[in-house]
Amino acid sequence: MSRTRSDSPTLFELPIRPDFSFERQALREGQWPVAGTDEAGRGPLAGPVVAAAVILDPERIPEGLDDSKRLVIEERAERFAEILATARAVSVASVSALSIDAADIRKASLEAMRRAVATLCVRPLLVLADGRDVPPGLPCLGRALVKGDQRSQSIAAASIVAKVMRDRMMMRAGVCDIRYGFEQHMGYATVRHRTALETHGPVMRLHRMSFAPFRE
């Protein structure tokens, strides 16, 4: 029996930085516009999962696009501003902690990506999605790219927008409730965050009660 080749790239197959090759192939095949979509915030104990969808202008691609996790905060802020200034379309959507608890983080992440694509002001003909799954319910064709934020500039742009927007949401949460230091850890399970949880307990509607350690 023949085996289907995995889309997962090896370490040596990954480009140094993401490029525009997937998008240009789609353009040649008449599948344009192409949107990239990615999410931020699958792992934290608190806050929403946030997704972005971006349609880049092939003639005005910002320099330095990369997986948001490989950029420092100052670089993300610069790329974020450049993306908003040059992209054909940008959209952001989120799914709350309550909705994450009602489903699961995987489904919530895919739903956030679907919403981001659905609210783009330009309708794409193809969506490149980071990860192994194509978000259900897309209004067009979709393709999942494992490590897509390190392979596709459109997905990298979406990862930057999603990360910056989610961080800003969590910074605001830190202003509204100073006990947890959300502006420092963005809801991840740091020592500061866990210590605050031991002292004050979780915040309903903000902490993900389906996540450990809350289930315990």
Side-chain angles (χ1 to χ4, degrees):
M1 179 184 295
S2 62
R3 302 178 68 180
T4 302
R5 184 180 184 275
S6 172
D7 182 63
S8 301
T10 68
L11 175 64
F12 301 104
E13 290 176 328
L14 285 172
I16 296 174
R17 285 185 181 273
D19 58 33
F20 209 62
S21 59
F22 293 103
E23 293 87 341
R24 294 199 185 281
Q25 179 182 351
L27 181 59
R28 290 192 297 269
E29 296 172 352
Q31 295 178 321
W32 188 265
V34 175
T37 186
D38 198 2
E39 51 73 28
R42 285 184 67 130
L45 301 179
V49 60
V50 176
V54 177
I55 299 176
L56 292 173
D57 183 339
E59 305 303 323
R60 302 178 67 195
I61 299 174
E63 294 185 4
L65 294 179
D66 203 348
D67 174 3
S68 63
K69 296 183 292 296
R70 301 201 298 195
L71 301 175
V72 299
I73 187 169
E74 295 82 8
E75 291 174 323
R76 286 197 297 267
E78 291 176 1
R79 299 296 91 78
F80 175 80
E82 292 169 1
I83 293 164
L84 296 189
T86 61
R88 295 277 183 87
V90 178
S91 181
V92 178
S94 65
V95 172
S96 70
L98 281 176
S99 295
I100 292 169
D101 290 338
D104 60 53
I105 188 58
R106 174 183 165 275
K107 291 178 182 177
S109 298
L110 293 173
E111 173 61 13
M113 287 192 277
R114 184 200 68 79
R115 292 180 187 179
V117 171
T119 51
L120 283 166
C121 64
V122 177
R123 182 167 179 171
L125 292 185
L126 174 67
V127 171
L128 302 175
D130 183 54
R132 298 183 179 277
D133 302 303
V134 174
L138 291 178
C140 61
L141 295 174
R143 179 179 179 184
L145 292 179
V146 175
K147 294 189 180 296
D149 47 11
Q150 298 180 32
R151 301 166 70 189
S152 159
Q153 288 178 322
S154 296
I155 297 177
S159 78
I160 291 167
V161 173
K163 173 63 175 171
V164 170
M165 291 299 294
R166 187 182 187 279
D167 283 358
R168 292 181 180 181
M169 292 179 185
M170 296 310 296
M171 289 175 187
R172 181 61 184 169
V175 172
C176 294
D177 192 329
I178 64 173
R179 298 175 298 172
Y180 297 87
F182 291 122
E183 71 283 358
Q184 297 179 17
H185 52 69
M186 310 306 169
Y188 284 89
T190 63
V191 173
R192 165 76 188 278
H193 193 184
R194 288 183 174 275
T195 299
L197 284 169
E198 292 174 0
T199 303
H200 306 291
V203 177
M204 302 305 295
R205 303 176 67 88
L206 182 60
H207 281 98
R208 302 172 182 180
M209 303 308 294
S210 59
F211 278 38
F214 308 118
R215 291 197 309 270
E216 299 171 0

